[in-house]
Amino acid sequence: MNNVVESTLSIEQNPNPVPAAERARLLESPAFGRVFTDHMATIRYTEGKGWHDAKVGARGVIPTDPATQVLHYAQEIFEGMKAYRLPDGGGALFRPDANARRFQNSAKRLAMPALPEDLFLQSVRELVKLDREWIPSGEGSALYLRPFMIATEVALGVKPAAEYLYCVIACPVGAYFKGGASAAVTIWVSDTYTRAAPGGTGDAKCGGNYAASLLAQAEATREGCDQVVFLDAVERRWIEELGGMNVFFVFEDGSLQTPPLTGTILPGITRDSLITLARDMGLTVREEPYSIDQWQADAQSGRLREAFACGTAAVVTPIGKVKGHKHNFTIGDGGAGVLTTKLKAALVELQNGRAPDPHSWLDRVF
Ligand SMILES: *Cc1c(COP(=O)(O)O)cnc(C)c1O
């Protein structure tokens, strides 16, 4: 099914890049996902032919017929990763092989062809090299990369498409939340909507999951909250994750807990990295279910000291308050906890090449 007919990318400089002065101005304080670089990577897939026309070139529009399958049945997956500026001026990706593998898993769930890991890696590395001047160097900033794949066959029949476009775009980003890097967020417990059910697409990174989460997010915003926390779809009791971030709890004995990966939760690379870093520090980390009622009881008794959300975009974000139709509580003093701050620093130092990298997570691109 995935016979690769071409495995090298052609590389073409954008003849009309954004002028350096304009780029410098844009890099000063980029809003998340609004400023884009000069280039993009694209690879096409055709059933019976495999992957072809792999290239990195000038960023531009994707001409789309109105009957293109993705527009109707949402056969789409994506990834989110960052390139970091290193102290010597170089640039590095963080665990891109993990993104490549997760992209293959998402593809499988959405009945799409698996992009070979080496093509995925080449595409992001070559894009980062061409757009190297777009990697910001300010604290907490990075070049966010968005690989994605869409069904491009022009047909309205409901079936896996025979043609696909894989594409990577990039944007310089600063801190994800308005309040700045260490400000705590307030989250809304969604007891009206769920994000994912057993057997569904909860552990695939697909746009459809996000479309289904937007109304819950709108409810959260209306209630004065920053983010939603979703409960399991069966018992409506177990904490799963936020709309686009995994969640961790820190207890008075210094141990950590995070919901287990049982198919309805996205297996975050930040989640996995933090579990490893915490264990490296000698901390106990449990991957066990935790209920919303227990969370409230533990926060009120003081057994629970800290909670945080994590993901590539928002890194590590302390959770200060939790609200819902049946819940309302503050965690610790409502600010960033000690261990949350320590784990975040450990991750950020490593990602920016300022700390040892014992697990060889950094992938130096230039
Ligand atoms: C991408 C994503 C995460 C975080 O994954 P990272 O690999 O850490 O960026 C968590 N939850 C959802 C729903 C996601 O889409």
Side-chain angles (χ1 to χ4, degrees), residues 78 146 176-177 185-190 193-196 201-218 220 226-231 239-247 264-268 309-314 319:
F78 67 95
R146 169 53 60 85
Y176 190 75
F177 289 108
V185 294
T186 298
I187 61 174
W188 175 253
V189 182
S190 179
Y193 308 105
T194 57
R195 192 192 84 91
T201 55
D203 61 353
K205 213 167 169 71
C206 61
N209 289 342
Y210 279 74
S213 77
L214 296 176
L215 194 54
Q217 179 62 44
D226 304 291
Q227 284 283 318
V228 184
V229 61
F230 287 100
L231 305 178
I239 298 159
E240 298 226 296
E241 61 172 317
L242 274 55
M245 281 175 277
N246 296 115
V247 61
T264 53
I265 293 174
L266 203 284
C310 67
T312 298
I319 298 170

Short mmCIF file of all heavy atoms in Angstrom, two decimals, residues 78 146 176-177 185-190 193-196 201-218 220 226-231 239-247 264-268 309-314 319:
data_model
loop_
_atom_site.label_atom_id
_atom_site.label_comp_id
_atom_site.label_asym_id
_atom_site.label_seq_id
_atom_site.Cartn_x
_atom_site.Cartn_y
_atom_site.Cartn_z
N PHE A 78 -3.06 15.62 12.04
CA PHE A 78 -1.97 16.61 12.12
C PHE A 78 -1.01 16.28 13.25
O PHE A 78 -1.22 15.37 14.05
CB PHE A 78 -2.54 18.02 12.26
CG PHE A 78 -3.27 18.31 13.56
CD1 PHE A 78 -2.60 18.90 14.63
CD2 PHE A 78 -4.62 18.00 13.71
CE1 PHE A 78 -3.27 19.18 15.81
CE2 PHE A 78 -5.29 18.28 14.89
CZ PHE A 78 -4.62 18.87 15.95
N ARG A 146 3.76 22.53 11.95
CA ARG A 146 2.46 21.87 11.84
C ARG A 146 2.43 20.95 10.62
O ARG A 146 2.06 21.36 9.53
CB ARG A 146 1.37 22.95 11.75
CG ARG A 146 -0.02 22.48 11.37
CD ARG A 146 -0.56 21.36 12.23
NE ARG A 146 -0.67 21.66 13.63
CZ ARG A 146 -1.71 22.27 14.21
NH1 ARG A 146 -2.73 22.66 13.50
NH2 ARG A 146 -1.72 22.46 15.52
N TYR A 176 1.93 30.64 24.91
CA TYR A 176 0.62 30.25 24.41
C TYR A 176 -0.52 30.99 25.08
O TYR A 176 -1.46 31.42 24.44
CB TYR A 176 0.45 28.74 24.60
CG TYR A 176 -0.75 28.13 23.93
CD1 TYR A 176 -0.77 27.92 22.56
CD2 TYR A 176 -1.85 27.75 24.67
CE1 TYR A 176 -1.86 27.33 21.94
CE2 TYR A 176 -2.96 27.16 24.05
CZ TYR A 176 -2.95 26.95 22.70
OH TYR A 176 -4.03 26.37 22.09
N PHE A 177 -0.45 31.12 26.40
CA PHE A 177 -1.52 31.79 27.12
C PHE A 177 -1.18 33.26 27.34
O PHE A 177 -0.03 33.61 27.60
CB PHE A 177 -1.80 31.11 28.46
CG PHE A 177 -2.46 29.76 28.28
CD1 PHE A 177 -1.77 28.58 28.53
CD2 PHE A 177 -3.78 29.69 27.84
CE1 PHE A 177 -2.39 27.35 28.35
CE2 PHE A 177 -4.40 28.46 27.66
CZ PHE A 177 -3.70 27.29 27.92
N VAL A 185 -3.94 28.82 34.94
CA VAL A 185 -5.21 28.92 34.21
C VAL A 185 -6.35 28.37 35.06
O VAL A 185 -6.15 27.60 36.00
CB VAL A 185 -5.16 28.16 32.86
CG1 VAL A 185 -4.19 28.82 31.89
CG2 VAL A 185 -4.83 26.69 33.06
N THR A 186 -7.56 28.83 34.70
CA THR A 186 -8.78 28.32 35.33
C THR A 186 -9.42 27.39 34.33
O THR A 186 -9.54 27.73 33.15
CB THR A 186 -9.72 29.50 35.65
OG1 THR A 186 -9.05 30.37 36.57
CG2 THR A 186 -11.02 29.02 36.28
N ILE A 187 -9.82 26.20 34.78
CA ILE A 187 -10.41 25.28 33.81
C ILE A 187 -11.84 24.91 34.16
O ILE A 187 -12.25 24.90 35.33
CB ILE A 187 -9.55 24.02 33.58
CG1 ILE A 187 -9.38 23.21 34.85
CG2 ILE A 187 -8.20 24.37 32.98
CD1 ILE A 187 -8.68 21.91 34.58
N TRP A 188 -12.60 24.62 33.13
CA TRP A 188 -14.03 24.34 33.22
C TRP A 188 -14.26 22.83 33.07
O TRP A 188 -13.77 22.22 32.12
CB TRP A 188 -14.77 25.11 32.12
CG TRP A 188 -16.23 24.80 32.03
CD1 TRP A 188 -16.85 24.07 31.06
CD2 TRP A 188 -17.26 25.22 32.93
NE1 TRP A 188 -18.20 24.02 31.31
CE2 TRP A 188 -18.48 24.72 32.45
CE3 TRP A 188 -17.25 25.99 34.12
CZ2 TRP A 188 -19.69 24.94 33.11
CZ3 TRP A 188 -18.46 26.22 34.76
CH2 TRP A 188 -19.65 25.70 34.27
N VAL A 189 -14.99 22.23 34.01
CA VAL A 189 -15.31 20.80 33.94
C VAL A 189 -16.52 20.64 33.03
O VAL A 189 -17.61 21.10 33.33
CB VAL A 189 -15.66 20.24 35.33
CG1 VAL A 189 -15.93 18.74 35.25
CG2 VAL A 189 -14.55 20.54 36.33
N SER A 190 -16.30 19.98 31.90
CA SER A 190 -17.40 19.80 30.95
C SER A 190 -18.22 18.58 31.35
O SER A 190 -17.78 17.45 31.20
CB SER A 190 -16.84 19.62 29.53
OG SER A 190 -17.90 19.42 28.63
N TYR A 193 -20.56 17.91 27.56
CA TYR A 193 -19.94 17.34 26.35
C TYR A 193 -18.77 16.43 26.72
O TYR A 193 -18.09 16.65 27.71
CB TYR A 193 -19.41 18.47 25.45
CG TYR A 193 -20.45 19.52 25.16
CD1 TYR A 193 -20.39 20.77 25.78
CD2 TYR A 193 -21.50 19.26 24.29
CE1 TYR A 193 -21.36 21.75 25.53
CE2 TYR A 193 -22.47 20.22 24.03
CZ TYR A 193 -22.39 21.46 24.66
OH TYR A 193 -23.35 22.41 24.41
N THR A 194 -18.56 15.41 25.87
CA THR A 194 -17.36 14.58 26.02
C THR A 194 -16.50 14.77 24.78
O THR A 194 -16.97 15.22 23.74
CB THR A 194 -17.71 13.09 26.19
OG1 THR A 194 -18.49 12.67 25.06
CG2 THR A 194 -18.49 12.85 27.47
N ARG A 195 -15.21 14.40 24.91
CA ARG A 195 -14.27 14.57 23.80
C ARG A 195 -14.10 13.30 22.99
O ARG A 195 -13.98 13.33 21.77
CB ARG A 195 -12.91 15.00 24.35
CG ARG A 195 -11.92 15.50 23.32
CD ARG A 195 -10.51 15.63 23.88
NE ARG A 195 -9.81 14.38 23.86
CZ ARG A 195 -9.04 13.94 22.87
NH1 ARG A 195 -8.82 14.71 21.83
NH2 ARG A 195 -8.46 12.77 22.93
N ALA A 196 -14.07 12.16 23.67
CA ALA A 196 -13.75 10.91 22.99
C ALA A 196 -14.39 9.75 23.73
O ALA A 196 -14.48 9.76 24.96
CB ALA A 196 -12.24 10.72 22.95
N THR A 201 -11.84 8.18 18.23
CA THR A 201 -10.57 8.67 17.70
C THR A 201 -9.78 9.49 18.73
O THR A 201 -8.90 10.26 18.37
CB THR A 201 -10.81 9.56 16.46
OG1 THR A 201 -11.73 10.61 16.82
CG2 THR A 201 -11.39 8.77 15.31
N GLY A 202 -10.10 9.30 20.02
CA GLY A 202 -9.46 10.11 21.07
C GLY A 202 -7.95 10.05 21.10
O GLY A 202 -7.29 11.01 21.50
N ASP A 203 -7.36 8.91 20.69
CA ASP A 203 -5.90 8.82 20.73
C ASP A 203 -5.26 9.09 19.37
O ASP A 203 -4.07 8.84 19.18
CB ASP A 203 -5.44 7.48 21.32
CG ASP A 203 -5.92 6.29 20.50
OD1 ASP A 203 -6.71 6.49 19.56
OD2 ASP A 203 -5.50 5.16 20.82
N ALA A 204 -6.05 9.59 18.43
CA ALA A 204 -5.50 10.01 17.14
C ALA A 204 -5.50 11.54 17.12
O ALA A 204 -6.41 12.16 17.66
CB ALA A 204 -6.36 9.48 15.99
N LYS A 205 -4.47 12.13 16.53
CA LYS A 205 -4.43 13.58 16.47
C LYS A 205 -5.12 14.01 15.18
O LYS A 205 -4.48 14.12 14.13
CB LYS A 205 -2.98 14.06 16.54
CG LYS A 205 -2.82 15.40 17.26
CD LYS A 205 -1.37 15.69 17.58
CE LYS A 205 -1.18 17.11 18.05
NZ LYS A 205 -1.72 17.37 19.39
N CYS A 206 -6.43 14.20 15.27
CA CYS A 206 -7.18 14.55 14.06
C CYS A 206 -8.03 15.79 14.33
O CYS A 206 -8.47 16.04 15.46
CB CYS A 206 -8.05 13.39 13.60
SG CYS A 206 -9.29 12.84 14.78
N GLY A 207 -8.24 16.56 13.27
CA GLY A 207 -8.99 17.80 13.39
C GLY A 207 -10.40 17.59 13.92
O GLY A 207 -10.93 18.43 14.64
N GLY A 208 -10.99 16.44 13.60
CA GLY A 208 -12.36 16.15 14.04
C GLY A 208 -12.50 16.20 15.55
O GLY A 208 -13.53 16.67 16.07
N ASN A 209 -11.49 15.74 16.27
CA ASN A 209 -11.55 15.80 17.74
C ASN A 209 -11.66 17.24 18.21
O ASN A 209 -12.34 17.55 19.18
CB ASN A 209 -10.29 15.20 18.36
CG ASN A 209 -10.21 13.68 18.21
OD1 ASN A 209 -11.22 13.04 17.93
ND2 ASN A 209 -9.03 13.13 18.38
N TYR A 210 -10.96 18.12 17.51
CA TYR A 210 -10.97 19.53 17.90
C TYR A 210 -12.30 20.18 17.55
O TYR A 210 -12.84 20.97 18.33
CB TYR A 210 -9.79 20.26 17.25
CG TYR A 210 -8.51 20.03 18.04
CD1 TYR A 210 -7.85 18.81 18.01
CD2 TYR A 210 -8.02 21.02 18.88
CE1 TYR A 210 -6.71 18.59 18.76
CE2 TYR A 210 -6.88 20.82 19.64
CZ TYR A 210 -6.23 19.59 19.58
OH TYR A 210 -5.12 19.38 20.34
N ALA A 211 -12.85 19.84 16.38
CA ALA A 211 -14.16 20.39 15.98
C ALA A 211 -15.18 20.05 17.06
O ALA A 211 -16.00 20.88 17.45
CB ALA A 211 -14.58 19.81 14.63
N ALA A 212 -15.10 18.80 17.57
CA ALA A 212 -16.07 18.35 18.57
C ALA A 212 -15.85 18.99 19.94
O ALA A 212 -16.72 18.94 20.80
CB ALA A 212 -16.00 16.83 18.67
N SER A 213 -14.68 19.59 20.14
CA SER A 213 -14.37 20.17 21.46
C SER A 213 -14.68 21.67 21.52
O SER A 213 -14.67 22.26 22.60
CB SER A 213 -12.89 19.95 21.79
OG SER A 213 -12.06 20.86 21.07
N LEU A 214 -14.96 22.28 20.38
CA LEU A 214 -15.07 23.74 20.34
C LEU A 214 -16.27 24.29 21.12
O LEU A 214 -16.17 25.34 21.75
CB LEU A 214 -15.13 24.24 18.89
CG LEU A 214 -13.86 23.96 18.07
CD1 LEU A 214 -14.06 24.41 16.62
CD2 LEU A 214 -12.64 24.66 18.67
N LEU A 215 -17.38 23.57 21.10
CA LEU A 215 -18.55 24.06 21.81
C LEU A 215 -18.32 24.02 23.32
O LEU A 215 -18.71 24.92 24.05
CB LEU A 215 -19.78 23.22 21.42
CG LEU A 215 -21.14 23.80 21.81
CD1 LEU A 215 -21.32 25.22 21.29
CD2 LEU A 215 -22.25 22.90 21.31
N ALA A 216 -17.63 22.96 23.78
CA ALA A 216 -17.28 22.87 25.21
C ALA A 216 -16.33 24.01 25.58
O ALA A 216 -16.44 24.63 26.64
CB ALA A 216 -16.64 21.51 25.50
N GLN A 217 -15.39 24.30 24.67
CA GLN A 217 -14.45 25.40 24.91
C GLN A 217 -15.19 26.74 24.97
O GLN A 217 -14.88 27.59 25.80
CB GLN A 217 -13.37 25.41 23.83
CG GLN A 217 -12.34 26.52 23.96
CD GLN A 217 -11.54 26.45 25.26
OE1 GLN A 217 -11.08 25.38 25.67
NE2 GLN A 217 -11.36 27.59 25.93
N ALA A 218 -16.19 26.89 24.10
CA ALA A 218 -16.98 28.13 24.10
C ALA A 218 -17.74 28.27 25.42
O ALA A 218 -17.85 29.36 25.98
CB ALA A 218 -17.95 28.13 22.92
N ALA A 220 -16.74 27.04 28.27
CA ALA A 220 -15.72 27.40 29.26
C ALA A 220 -15.43 28.90 29.23
O ALA A 220 -15.37 29.56 30.27
CB ALA A 220 -14.43 26.60 28.98
N ASP A 226 -10.34 29.41 31.09
CA ASP A 226 -9.40 29.43 29.97
C ASP A 226 -9.49 28.17 29.12
O ASP A 226 -9.26 28.21 27.92
CB ASP A 226 -7.96 29.53 30.50
CG ASP A 226 -7.78 30.75 31.37
OD1 ASP A 226 -7.82 31.86 30.82
OD2 ASP A 226 -7.61 30.59 32.60
N GLN A 227 -9.76 27.03 29.75
CA GLN A 227 -9.70 25.74 29.08
C GLN A 227 -10.76 24.81 29.64
O GLN A 227 -11.29 25.04 30.72
CB GLN A 227 -8.33 25.09 29.33
CG GLN A 227 -7.19 25.69 28.51
CD GLN A 227 -7.21 25.20 27.08
OE1 GLN A 227 -7.44 24.04 26.80
NE2 GLN A 227 -6.97 26.11 26.15
N VAL A 228 -11.02 23.72 28.92
CA VAL A 228 -11.97 22.70 29.36
C VAL A 228 -11.21 21.48 29.85
O VAL A 228 -10.20 21.12 29.26
CB VAL A 228 -12.83 22.20 28.17
CG1 VAL A 228 -13.89 21.22 28.65
CG2 VAL A 228 -13.44 23.34 27.43
N VAL A 229 -11.72 20.81 30.88
CA VAL A 229 -11.21 19.48 31.20
C VAL A 229 -12.36 18.51 30.90
O VAL A 229 -13.50 18.72 31.30
CB VAL A 229 -10.69 19.33 32.65
CG1 VAL A 229 -11.76 19.59 33.70
CG2 VAL A 229 -10.06 17.96 32.86
N PHE A 230 -12.04 17.47 30.11
CA PHE A 230 -13.06 16.50 29.71
C PHE A 230 -13.04 15.29 30.63
O PHE A 230 -11.98 14.85 31.10
CB PHE A 230 -12.81 16.04 28.27
CG PHE A 230 -13.16 17.09 27.25
CD1 PHE A 230 -12.17 17.88 26.68
CD2 PHE A 230 -14.48 17.30 26.88
CE1 PHE A 230 -12.50 18.85 25.75
CE2 PHE A 230 -14.81 18.28 25.94
CZ PHE A 230 -13.82 19.06 25.39
N LEU A 231 -14.24 14.74 30.88
CA LEU A 231 -14.39 13.52 31.66
C LEU A 231 -14.64 12.36 30.70
O LEU A 231 -15.01 12.57 29.54
CB LEU A 231 -15.55 13.67 32.64
CG LEU A 231 -15.45 14.88 33.57
CD1 LEU A 231 -16.70 14.96 34.46
CD2 LEU A 231 -14.19 14.82 34.43
N ILE A 239 -11.16 11.81 34.99
CA ILE A 239 -10.55 12.93 34.27
C ILE A 239 -9.75 12.38 33.09
O ILE A 239 -8.98 11.44 33.25
CB ILE A 239 -9.62 13.72 35.21
CG1 ILE A 239 -10.46 14.30 36.36
CG2 ILE A 239 -8.89 14.83 34.47
CD1 ILE A 239 -9.64 14.65 37.57
N GLU A 240 -9.96 12.95 31.93
CA GLU A 240 -9.21 12.50 30.74
C GLU A 240 -8.11 13.49 30.39
O GLU A 240 -6.95 13.25 30.66
CB GLU A 240 -10.17 12.28 29.58
CG GLU A 240 -11.18 11.19 29.90
CD GLU A 240 -11.36 10.18 28.80
OE1 GLU A 240 -11.83 10.57 27.72
OE2 GLU A 240 -11.04 9.01 29.01
N GLU A 241 -8.46 14.60 29.80
CA GLU A 241 -7.47 15.60 29.45
C GLU A 241 -8.16 16.90 29.10
O GLU A 241 -9.39 16.97 29.08
CB GLU A 241 -6.59 15.12 28.28
CG GLU A 241 -7.37 14.86 26.99
CD GLU A 241 -6.43 14.59 25.82
OE1 GLU A 241 -5.44 15.29 25.67
OE2 GLU A 241 -6.74 13.65 25.05
N LEU A 242 -7.35 17.93 28.79
CA LEU A 242 -7.93 19.20 28.34
C LEU A 242 -8.17 19.08 26.84
O LEU A 242 -7.81 18.06 26.23
CB LEU A 242 -6.99 20.35 28.69
CG LEU A 242 -7.13 20.93 30.11
CD1 LEU A 242 -7.00 19.88 31.17
CD2 LEU A 242 -6.15 22.05 30.34
N GLY A 243 -8.70 20.10 26.21
CA GLY A 243 -8.98 20.03 24.77
C GLY A 243 -7.76 19.68 23.94
O GLY A 243 -7.85 18.98 22.94
N GLY A 244 -6.61 20.16 24.35
CA GLY A 244 -5.40 19.89 23.58
C GLY A 244 -4.17 19.72 24.43
O GLY A 244 -3.04 19.93 23.98
N MET A 245 -4.38 19.33 25.70
CA MET A 245 -3.25 19.16 26.61
C MET A 245 -3.54 18.03 27.59
O MET A 245 -4.68 17.84 28.01
CB MET A 245 -3.03 20.44 27.42
CG MET A 245 -2.31 21.53 26.68
SD MET A 245 -2.23 23.02 27.68
CE MET A 245 -3.83 23.70 27.31
N ASN A 246 -2.51 17.32 27.98
CA ASN A 246 -2.65 16.29 29.01
C ASN A 246 -2.57 16.95 30.38
O ASN A 246 -2.18 18.11 30.51
CB ASN A 246 -1.55 15.24 28.85
CG ASN A 246 -1.66 14.47 27.53
OD1 ASN A 246 -0.79 14.56 26.68
ND2 ASN A 246 -2.74 13.75 27.36
N VAL A 247 -2.94 16.18 31.41
CA VAL A 247 -3.01 16.78 32.74
C VAL A 247 -2.29 15.92 33.79
O VAL A 247 -2.27 14.69 33.69
CB VAL A 247 -4.50 17.05 33.11
CG1 VAL A 247 -5.31 15.78 33.13
CG2 VAL A 247 -4.64 17.79 34.42
N THR A 264 -8.62 6.72 24.79
CA THR A 264 -9.45 7.91 24.62
C THR A 264 -8.66 9.20 24.88
O THR A 264 -9.21 10.29 24.81
CB THR A 264 -10.67 7.88 25.55
OG1 THR A 264 -10.21 7.66 26.89
CG2 THR A 264 -11.63 6.76 25.17
N ILE A 265 -7.38 9.03 25.21
CA ILE A 265 -6.53 10.18 25.54
C ILE A 265 -5.40 10.25 24.52
O ILE A 265 -4.88 9.23 24.09
CB ILE A 265 -5.96 10.01 26.95
CG1 ILE A 265 -7.09 10.08 27.98
CG2 ILE A 265 -4.88 11.05 27.26
CD1 ILE A 265 -6.65 9.79 29.38
N LEU A 266 -5.05 11.47 24.12
CA LEU A 266 -3.96 11.64 23.16
C LEU A 266 -2.63 11.38 23.88
O LEU A 266 -2.36 11.99 24.92
CB LEU A 266 -4.02 13.07 22.61
CG LEU A 266 -3.38 13.40 21.26
CD1 LEU A 266 -1.86 13.50 21.38
CD2 LEU A 266 -3.75 12.44 20.16
N PRO A 267 -1.81 10.48 23.36
CA PRO A 267 -0.52 10.21 24.00
C PRO A 267 0.48 11.34 23.76
O PRO A 267 1.23 11.33 22.78
CB PRO A 267 -0.06 8.89 23.37
CG PRO A 267 -0.80 8.81 22.07
CD PRO A 267 -2.05 9.62 22.19
N GLY A 268 0.48 12.32 24.62
CA GLY A 268 1.32 13.49 24.46
C GLY A 268 2.80 13.16 24.61
O GLY A 268 3.20 12.38 25.47
N ALA A 309 -1.27 21.38 33.23
CA ALA A 309 -1.56 20.84 31.90
C ALA A 309 -0.28 20.90 31.10
O ALA A 309 0.61 21.72 31.40
CB ALA A 309 -2.64 21.70 31.24
N CYS A 310 -0.14 20.02 30.12
CA CYS A 310 1.10 20.05 29.33
C CYS A 310 0.86 19.64 27.88
O CYS A 310 -0.01 18.84 27.58
CB CYS A 310 2.14 19.14 29.96
SG CYS A 310 1.73 17.40 29.90
N GLY A 311 1.64 20.25 27.02
CA GLY A 311 1.59 19.95 25.59
C GLY A 311 2.65 20.79 24.90
O GLY A 311 3.19 21.72 25.50
N THR A 312 2.92 20.49 23.65
CA THR A 312 3.97 21.21 22.92
C THR A 312 3.69 22.71 22.86
O THR A 312 4.58 23.52 23.10
CB THR A 312 4.08 20.66 21.48
OG1 THR A 312 4.47 19.29 21.58
CG2 THR A 312 5.10 21.42 20.67
N ALA A 313 2.45 23.07 22.54
CA ALA A 313 2.13 24.49 22.37
C ALA A 313 2.25 25.26 23.68
O ALA A 313 2.93 26.28 23.74
CB ALA A 313 0.74 24.64 21.78
N ALA A 314 1.62 24.76 24.74
CA ALA A 314 1.58 25.51 26.00
C ALA A 314 2.65 25.06 26.99
O ALA A 314 2.71 25.57 28.11
CB ALA A 314 0.20 25.40 26.62
N ILE A 319 -2.50 24.78 36.71
CA ILE A 319 -3.95 24.93 36.83
C ILE A 319 -4.21 25.49 38.23
O ILE A 319 -3.83 24.89 39.23
CB ILE A 319 -4.66 23.57 36.65
CG1 ILE A 319 -4.40 23.01 35.25
CG2 ILE A 319 -6.17 23.72 36.89
CD1 ILE A 319 -4.86 21.58 35.04
#
